[in-house]
Amino acid sequence: MSKSFNSWSALKVALQQEVRSAMEETVDNSFIDAHTNVDQYYNSTPGRYTRTGQLAESPEASLSGSGENYHGEISLDTGFRYNPSGRDTMTIYEYAESGGLRGDGGFWEKTKQDVEKNIHESFGKRFS
């Protein structure tokens, strides 16, 4: 189905709406993927370590902007403090990502790949 536009401004508004929709879909799907990937970390046995579950609750997503400029972000909340580890949360998460803790690492690398896939899918179906 094709649309016709009577002015450049109408075309511009329609394109901006499609970009916004694609960005929302990309961020939403990537947030779900981040949660799924982080949950995979917990597939291994914890051993004697008592897991806090904080990593599983840490994925965050945001979308901002309007018109021609949008910014989507998927991140991990590093505001939680692990005591008495003596290490900052970012360091703990880096250990977890690399497989240096009792868990399945690679969750963030997988999330980055999923974000790229989601961008291609969301924008591709609108602007192919």
Side-chain angles (χ1 to χ4, degrees):
M1 180 174 139
S2 63
K3 296 181 182 180
S4 61
F5 299 93
N6 296 326
S7 68
W8 282 109
S9 62
L11 174 60
K12 183 177 178 180
V13 168
L15 288 171
Q16 289 172 341
Q17 290 171 344
E18 288 298 315
V19 168
R20 172 77 184 193
S21 179
M23 283 294 293
E24 287 173 344
E25 182 177 286
T26 298
V27 169
D28 290 348
N29 289 341
S30 298
F31 179 68
I32 291 167
D33 290 337
H35 262 290
T36 299
N37 296 335
V38 167
D39 288 346
Q40 295 296 314
Y41 172 79
Y42 295 96
N43 283 345
S44 67
T45 57
R48 295 181 310 181
Y49 175 72
T50 302
R51 292 180 170 158
T52 65
Q54 183 61 33
L55 179 62
E57 299 303 318
S58 69
E60 301 177 315
S62 65
L63 176 65
S64 60
S66 64
E68 298 174 13
N69 297 301
Y70 290 95
H71 175 81
E73 185 172 311
I74 305 296
S75 61
L76 299 176
D77 177 6
T78 59
F80 183 80
R81 294 289 171 242
Y82 287 91
N83 291 319
S85 74
R87 292 178 177 87
D88 63 280
T89 304
M90 186 57 112
T91 300
I92 298 296
Y93 286 0
E94 286 172 2
Y95 288 159
E97 169 68 6
S98 69
L101 299 177
R102 291 199 173 259
D104 293 335
F107 51 86
W108 193 248
E109 185 59 37
K110 174 76 170 95
T111 299
K112 291 190 302 187
Q113 293 169 8
D114 289 337
V115 169
E116 187 173 336
K117 172 189 63 89
N118 292 332
I119 289 168
H120 289 289
E121 287 179 3
S122 296
F123 281 85
K125 70 183 177 186
R126 289 170 175 86
F127 301 104
S128 57

